[in-house]
Amino acid sequence: MRKINIFDTTLRDGEQSAGVNLNLHEKLEIARQLERLGVDIIEAGFPAASKGDFQAVQAIAQTVRNCSVTGLSRSVQSDIDAAWEALKDGAEPRLHVFIATSPIHMQYKLRMTPEQVVETAVESVRYAKKYFPIVQWSAEDACRSDLPFLATIVEKVIEAGANVINIPDTVGYITPKQYGDIFSFLKKNVRNIEKISLSAHCHDDLGMAVANSLAAIEAGATQIEGTINGIGERAGNAAIEEVAVALYIRKDYYQAETRLNLQEIKRTSSLVSKLTGMIVPPNKAIVGKNAFAHESGIHQDGVLKEKTTYEIISPQLVGVQSNSMVLGKHSGRHAFRTRIQELGYSLTEEEVNRLFARFKDLADKKKDITDDDLIALILDEKLDMYKNFYQLCSIQVQYGTNQIPTAVVVLKDGEGNDIQEAATGAGSVEALYNALEKALQIPVTLLDYRIESVGSGRDALAQVYVKVSLDRKEASGRGTAQDVLEASAKAYIHAVNRMFVIEKMKEEQALAAQ
């Protein structure tokens, strides 16, 4: 069995998904879960992009010890210096440096000749090797590059010290056979290719990211890059969970394996979905809620007689448990704390106490508290970092089929002052958001509003995701409550507070620069 390294870029390429904006605490939660999942490399961000990105990469590198943490860098010395400062305390610091190699990128974006691109690539790798024990070099838009030129530049950067060569399908253009042929071409035409590991990074613009990744493995790639749930720019990246389970189920064919703990897949998928606000489609392979559902009578009959008739993947393989522990109003603090630890969350004693009080309050209203409910409460507790801005004190909404919906809201600002406003709207949510906008006295535009239930039943928690804009700046927010309107108000306030946090960080950066 060949070992395939998993390079997870959820926190870098995944966060570049439209509308996704993770803060430091959320990135750390995802990084810890990726470590539990067993990925080999976590691409934590682009350190030179912003102070926030630098701090996140640095914090993740200092926290994660069981896998390598890397950061992205252009072929610029200042980018490489910033990456080293952020990553130097990691267990295995590595750099991911790139430059475009396709004619269209070299001519129109870089405005460089092929010779200049080769020189820049070699210089950047050589410079990076002064600091980093492992340097990964990527040929951006490799799949639309001239193959002899690609072979030349790959050979040169290997001579300069590159340890991993990544061949990205940056725009999701190539087909599986063509992609495999590129790897075969490089193996035949790059004389020092045996010194390095070949990596595949595929985008899903034509829906072939996973198929292309598997084709690369067949052609000799030993590292696959992707994201959890396949999130990422435009149509997203190769879904790590799909590649890993395909290798496991069809190991007879691929003769390759990863070190992923497959039972952590569902938990990782759910965490990424909740923190990014990107809901997993029900028909999504491996982690969609319909992935193990059987509607057809013929299928149901077959599964009841022998599961393998229609079920090639067992739910338990990827961590979908039907017998998860259920807590209730009689559950004690010890059982509560133990379950939180089993779910993989580390909270301070103060956070546990606050969360336990909220758990007891919810248990009085809801008979059984499932793992999904607990995770929603935990993530909601993480929003408390914005308490220095606006807090929701109360809402009151009047609605009737023959009445104009009216909402009254009471907020508390960062200085402890109460703000009360009322407004009407065409519906309850619009009335509520109109009242909040009046209370905040800022022109907030609602760009997106989504709601989903946590669990099932009449007493299920509601989880609302929103995206708002203010002065052409966008922020996302989420809120959880038993009442849909309360969850809606929390999500709105969360998004606005996040916007204030971002602006405050920018002001602090500007002052520091002075």
Side-chain angles (χ1 to χ4, degrees):
M1 285 284 181
R2 285 192 299 138
K3 166 67 165 52
I4 304 299
N5 286 331
I6 296 297
F7 178 112
D8 185 278
T9 185
T10 302
L11 295 174
R12 200 274 300 169
D13 207 326
E15 203 206 5
Q16 291 173 204
S17 304
V20 174
N21 184 13
L22 299 169
N23 61 43
L24 174 59
H25 297 279
E26 291 163 339
K27 286 184 176 182
L28 277 169
E29 286 293 342
I30 291 174
R32 291 189 186 102
Q33 182 55 37
L34 290 173
E35 185 179 24
R36 284 189 287 270
L37 177 63
V39 303
D40 299 282
I41 303 106
I42 296 174
E43 187 168 48
F46 191 167
S50 68
K51 185 177 179 181
D53 237 28
F54 177 92
Q55 291 173 337
V57 173
Q58 186 177 55
I60 292 168
Q62 292 171 347
T63 302
V64 171
R65 310 319 289 174
N66 294 320
C67 54
S68 181
V69 177
T70 189
L72 188 67
S73 166
R74 295 169 298 178
S75 295
V76 178
Q77 284 193 13
S78 58
D79 277 22
I80 297 169
D81 291 338
W84 174 247
E85 283 303 310
L87 293 161
K88 63 184 180 182
D89 296 325
E92 186 185 64
R94 69 173 65 201
L95 181 72
H96 181 193
V97 61
F98 73 96
I99 194 167
T101 57
S102 67
I104 190 169
H105 275 242
M106 289 190 289
Q107 180 179 352
Y108 294 105
K109 187 183 79 171
L110 298 179
R111 300 186 185 280
M112 295 168 67
T113 65
E115 292 74 22
Q116 289 173 321
V117 169
V118 171
E119 184 181 355
T120 303
V122 169
E123 286 179 357
S124 63
V125 170
R126 192 173 287 141
Y127 182 75
K129 284 299 287 186
K130 294 178 181 178
Y131 304 100
F132 291 91
I134 301 175
V135 173
Q136 172 172 316
W137 180 82
S138 284
E140 186 184 12
D141 205 22
C143 296
R144 293 191 296 174
S145 299
D146 177 65
L147 290 186
F149 173 70
L150 185 62
T152 297
I153 194 170
V154 165
E155 188 169 301
K156 296 288 186 183
V157 295
I158 294 173
E159 288 175 357
N163 306 95
V164 180
I165 299 296
N166 181 36
I167 307 299
D169 182 18
T170 305
V171 294
Y173 172 78
I174 207 161
T175 66
K177 183 181 183 305
Q178 289 176 314
Y179 196 49
D181 287 346
I182 292 177
F183 285 85
S184 299
F185 180 88
L186 293 176
K187 291 182 76 173
K188 289 178 183 176
N189 292 279
V190 176
R191 60 180 177 79
N192 50 6
I193 197 80
E194 73 284 348
K195 294 181 179 180
I196 55 90
S197 171
L198 283 170
S199 180
H201 179 116
C202 300
H203 281 263
D204 208 33
D205 297 72
L206 294 178
M208 294 188 283
V210 171
N212 284 336
S213 298
L214 293 170
I217 290 172
E218 288 186 81
T222 54
Q223 178 174 291
I224 295 298
E225 305 185 15
T227 59
I228 300 301
N229 298 336
I231 66 173
E233 284 197 275
R234 305 184 312 279
N237 291 48
I240 288 296
E241 66 279 1
E242 293 181 26
V243 174
V245 174
L247 291 178
Y248 178 83
I249 296 296
R250 293 307 313 274
K251 52 179 171 276
D252 62 315
Y253 178 78
Y254 291 106
Q255 292 293 301
E257 60 185 357
T258 72
R259 75 178 188 104
L260 292 195
N261 178 0
L262 300 184
Q263 292 190 347
E264 290 289 336
I265 284 178
K266 180 62 177 177
R267 184 183 299 173
T268 311
S269 168
S270 297
L271 179 67
V272 170
S273 174
K274 286 179 170 63
L275 291 182
T276 60
M278 299 188 74
I279 297 170
V280 176
N283 64 328
K284 166 80 170 61
I286 312 301
V287 291
K289 69 178 182 180
N290 291 350
F292 304 102
H294 301 278
E295 180 73 19
S296 162
I298 295 173
H299 285 214
Q300 290 172 347
D301 179 64
V303 168
L304 288 172
K305 291 174 178 174
E306 171 52 52
K307 286 185 178 182
T308 55
T309 53
Y310 289 101
E311 202 171 87
I312 64 167
I313 310 165
S314 72
Q316 292 76 23
L317 175 68
V318 296
V320 177
Q321 303 294 339
S322 57
N323 59 345
S324 58
M325 181 177 175
V326 176
L327 300 175
K329 65 180 181 180
H330 298 298
S331 298
R333 191 181 300 267
H334 178 70
F336 176 76
R337 183 187 286 105
T338 300
R339 191 62 194 138
I340 287 176
Q341 292 170 348
E342 289 173 350
L343 288 172
Y345 293 93
S346 55
L347 302 178
T348 65
E349 193 62 28
E350 183 182 353
E351 287 175 327
V352 169
N353 290 336
R354 284 201 305 267
L355 201 59
F356 186 68
R358 293 185 61 189
F359 158 74
K360 280 295 189 180
D361 181 57
L362 179 62
D364 284 334
K365 305 170 187 174
K366 193 175 187 293
K367 182 180 178 182
D368 295 324
I369 310 296
T370 65
D371 288 348
D372 285 339
D373 294 324
L374 275 181
I375 291 170
L377 285 177
I378 292 167
L379 297 182
D380 208 34
E381 175 65 26
K382 297 293 182 183
L383 308 187
D384 209 34
M385 65 176 290
Y386 301 108
K387 61 186 176 184
N388 292 329
F389 296 93
Y390 291 99
Q391 293 185 71
L392 181 69
C393 297
S394 67
I395 63 170
Q396 183 175 329
V397 180
Q398 290 183 320
Y399 172 80
T401 53
N402 297 318
Q403 296 176 342
I404 298 174
T406 305
V408 179
V409 300
V410 179
L411 304 179
K412 193 178 291 290
D413 65 18
E415 298 175 356
N417 303 313
D418 286 341
I419 308 169
Q420 181 173 312
E421 286 291 349
T424 60
S428 299
V429 173
E430 185 183 14
L432 178 62
Y433 282 4
N434 287 342
L436 287 169
E437 187 174 4
K438 285 177 66 177
L440 295 169
Q441 295 185 333
I442 51 176
V444 178
T445 302
L446 182 66
L447 301 176
D448 192 19
Y449 174 93
R450 284 173 284 145
I451 183 171
E452 65 174 353
S453 66
V454 179
S456 58
R458 295 182 182 182
D459 59 355
L461 289 173
Q463 196 152 241
V464 172
Y465 299 91
V466 301
K467 185 164 70 172
V468 303
S469 71
L470 172 64
D471 296 333
R472 297 182 180 179
K473 303 179 186 73
E474 295 183 4
S476 58
R478 65 183 183 279
T480 305
Q482 265 202 301
D483 183 84
V484 170
L485 295 176
E486 184 184 348
S488 300
K490 284 183 173 182
Y492 187 96
I493 294 297
H494 180 219
V496 171
N497 283 342
R498 289 187 75 162
M499 199 172 293
F500 282 124
V501 168
I502 293 168
E503 288 307 303
K504 185 178 179 181
M505 286 176 60
K506 287 181 179 177
E507 289 174 7
E508 290 174 351
Q509 289 174 24
L511 288 172
Q514 294 174 2

